[in-house]
């Protein structure tokens, strides 16, 4: 029986490799609905950089990511891990990071989570002023943020028959010491977020209280101006009189053209203008073109990222990018395999 399995895999291997060119061939198997209590996925992404800084040199990076979850009755377990390798003429490093590892108990309407979890507060894409319990994003690659914090998270959701259609309440406790969340100062931190859908507008109110860090308070909103146009904003301040804010919009057409624009100020008094344009099926099928521009006009620093990404439809994605900025220029080539 094992020999038969390997023969079948051997016959199907060339099909997987050239699936990007054989999209009209249907090799799917209908196995029916299989309700598995677990799932897993991941990717392997090697990257090659050519960097023009004060010197010109190359860098090799790779990331292996694995994510899995398991559900049993009202128990839910999730883990996400990344391993990294970097090599250039200055240094070689390799390390692993547990991005998320938590257990959740309860149902959709009421649950409690204990462990390392990535919270996604705020409406901003490149930046968030109200993500009090989340690490900062890289505005050029905001989707790369995967690592959360160790915390306790209670959530409840309910529906109302009024202008407030539904609401949810999140309560957070996040300690920090030498063992957990050790990249923060040793502290005790609490917070809460109240979400409500008021008519057709999403609104959040949140706060963070700490025995070390300044207490913070904030709010955000988002709503659809038109079917294809969404507007969003955030505002936060702390007890020391500092503030941070964001105002933005996102346009997404039915032809897969997307434009995101944001204006924001961070907690360090830097003001930014951010814009990203992307187009799927750019002249040819499965090719996505995108441009990201960021200007820090407080420090007069500019960054412009040009990219092309081709999805081979067999779990391989080839990406090429060119980044030019006030500090440096670099070209990147990467090939990601999703499993």
């Amino acid at each position: 029986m094992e020999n038969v399995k390997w023969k079948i895999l051997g016959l199907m291997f060339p099909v997987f490799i050239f699936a990007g060119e054989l999209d009209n061939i249907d090799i799917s198997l209908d196995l029916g609905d299989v309700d598995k209590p677990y799932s897993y996925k991941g990717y392997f992404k090697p990257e090659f950089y050519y960097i023009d800084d004060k010197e010109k040199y190359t860098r090799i990076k790779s990331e292996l990511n694995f994510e899995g979850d398991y559900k049993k009755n009202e128990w839910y377990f999730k883990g996400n891990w990344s391993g990294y390798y970097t090599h250039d003429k200055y240094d070689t490093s390799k390390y692993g990071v547990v991005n998320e590892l938590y257990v959740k108990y309860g149902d959709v309407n009421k649950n409690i989570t204990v462990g390392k979890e990535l919270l996604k507060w705020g409406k901003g894409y490149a930046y968030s002023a109200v993500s009090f319990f989340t690490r900062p994003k890289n505005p050029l690659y905001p989707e790369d943020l995967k690592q959360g914090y160790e915390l306790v998270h209670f959530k409840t959701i309910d529906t109302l028959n009024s202008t407030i259609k539904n609401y949810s309440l999140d309560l957070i406790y996040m300690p920090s010491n030498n063992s957990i969340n050790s990249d923060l100062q040793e502290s005790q931190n609490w917070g809460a977020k109240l979400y409500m859908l008021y008519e057709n507008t999403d609104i959040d109110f949140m706060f963070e209280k700490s025995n070390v860090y300044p207490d913070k308070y904030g709010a955000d909103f988002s709503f659809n101006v038109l079917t294809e146009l969404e507007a969003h904003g955030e505002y936060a301040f702390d007890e020391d009189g500092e503030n941070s804010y964001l105002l933005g919009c996102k346009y997404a057409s039915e032809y897969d053209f997307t434009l995101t624009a944001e204006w924001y100020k961070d907690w360090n008094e830097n003001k930014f203008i951010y814009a990203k344009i992307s187009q799927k099926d750019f002249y040819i099928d499965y090719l996505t073109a995108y441009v990201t521009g960021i200007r820090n006009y407080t420090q007069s620093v500019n960054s412009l990222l040009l990219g092309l990404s081709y999805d081979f439809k067999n779990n391989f994605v080839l990406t090429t990018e060119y980044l030019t900025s006030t500090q440096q220029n670099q070209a990147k080539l990467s090939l990601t395999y999703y499993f």
Side-chain angles (χ1 to χ4, degrees):
M1 187 66 178
E2 287 294 324
N3 291 333
V4 173
K5 290 181 180 179
W6 284 111
K7 288 179 180 179
I8 293 174
L9 289 174
L11 290 172
M12 294 180 68
F13 181 76
V15 178
F16 293 143
I17 295 297
F18 297 104
E21 301 176 7
L22 302 175
D23 292 319
N24 294 325
I25 298 179
D26 185 5
I27 60 170
S28 61
L29 298 176
D30 185 6
L31 301 178
D33 294 330
V34 180
D35 187 15
K36 295 181 179 179
Y38 63 89
S39 66
Y40 63 89
K41 62 181 179 179
Y43 60 85
F44 175 63
K45 179 167 65 173
E47 299 174 323
F48 176 81
Y49 292 81
Y50 177 78
I51 300 172
D52 184 1
D53 200 344
K54 295 179 181 179
E55 299 182 52
K56 297 180 181 180
Y57 60 97
T58 60
R59 174 179 295 158
I60 297 173
K61 294 178 64 177
S62 63
E63 178 189 0
L64 175 64
N65 176 268
F66 183 83
E67 177 178 306
D69 60 18
Y70 177 80
K71 183 174 177 58
K72 179 70 172 179
N73 298 326
E74 293 187 318
W75 291 94
Y76 177 75
F77 303 85
K78 180 181 178 182
N80 186 299
W81 176 88
S82 290
Y84 299 92
Y85 173 81
T86 304
H87 173 75
D88 58 34
K89 70 176 186 177
Y90 298 107
D91 191 24
T92 298
S93 65
K94 51 185 177 180
Y95 60 94
V97 176
V98 177
N99 298 312
E100 291 188 288
L101 184 62
Y102 63 79
V103 56
K104 180 186 294 185
Y105 178 79
D107 55 27
V108 175
N109 296 320
K110 188 175 294 185
N111 56 73
I112 184 169
T113 301
V114 179
K116 192 171 188 179
E117 180 187 15
L118 176 62
L119 297 179
K120 298 181 180 180
W121 290 11
K123 308 299 185 186
Y125 292 89
Y127 173 78
S128 178
V130 297
S131 56
F132 300 150
F133 298 94
T134 307
R135 302 171 194 273
K137 299 177 182 178
N138 178 349
L140 286 174
Y141 303 100
E143 65 281 355
D144 284 355
L145 178 61
K146 294 184 287 292
Q147 186 180 3
Y149 281 121
E150 287 96 346
L151 46 81
V152 179
H153 177 197
F154 173 78
K155 187 180 187 72
T156 180
I157 303 173
D158 204 353
T159 302
L160 302 174
N161 292 321
S162 65
T163 53
I164 299 177
K165 299 177 182 178
N166 53 58
Y167 74 91
S168 68
L169 176 66
D170 294 74
L171 302 177
I172 305 295
Y173 170 61
M174 188 181 77
S176 175
N177 52 46
N178 292 331
S179 301
I180 59 174
N181 301 321
S182 56
D183 54 330
L184 302 174
Q185 296 183 44
E186 186 168 339
S187 58
Q188 303 293 323
N189 309 282
W190 301 266
K193 178 170 74 77
L194 175 64
Y195 162 81
M196 62 184 71
L197 177 59
Y198 178 75
E199 294 185 343
N200 295 315
T201 303
D202 291 311
I203 303 173
D204 293 287
F205 299 96
M206 60 280 288
F207 73 86
E208 177 193 9
K209 294 190 70 67
S210 173
N211 64 341
V212 172
Y213 296 99
D215 296 344
K216 292 181 180 180
Y217 306 87
D220 65 36
F221 71 88
S222 68
F223 64 91
N224 275 32
V225 181
L226 302 169
T227 303
E228 299 175 334
L229 179 63
E230 175 258 5
H232 55 273
E234 303 178 4
Y235 180 79
F237 64 94
D238 64 22
E239 61 181 347
D240 291 341
E242 303 294 332
N243 63 14
S244 179
Y245 50 77
L246 176 145
L247 187 63
C249 64
K250 182 175 183 179
Y251 173 79
S253 77
E254 59 181 322
Y255 303 106
D256 292 323
F257 172 82
T258 303
L259 167 64
T260 304
E262 293 181 332
W263 171 65
Y264 60 91
K265 189 189 87 166
D266 65 16
W267 291 99
N268 296 318
E269 301 297 323
N270 294 305
K271 295 181 179 180
F272 297 83
I273 296 177
Y274 166 91
K276 180 176 182 179
I277 300 172
S278 66
Q279 175 65 65
K280 292 184 178 180
D281 297 333
F282 184 66
Y283 288 107
I284 61 175
D285 291 343
Y286 313 126
L287 179 67
T288 299
Y290 52 92
V291 179
T292 302
I294 305 173
R295 174 169 173 77
N296 178 342
Y297 57 89
T298 302
Q299 300 183 14
S300 298
V301 176
N302 303 314
S303 298
L304 180 65
L305 176 68
L306 309 174
L308 290 171
S309 178
Y310 186 80
D311 187 346
F312 286 93
K313 308 306 290 183
N314 59 355
N315 300 335
F316 283 95
V317 177
L318 178 66
T319 301
T320 179
E321 293 181 341
Y322 179 74
L323 172 64
T324 177
S325 68
T326 306
Q327 287 91 1
Q328 68 175 26
N329 299 323
Q330 71 176 34
K332 181 177 79 171
L333 180 67
S334 67
L335 180 65
T336 307
Y337 173 69
Y338 295 92
F339 54 88

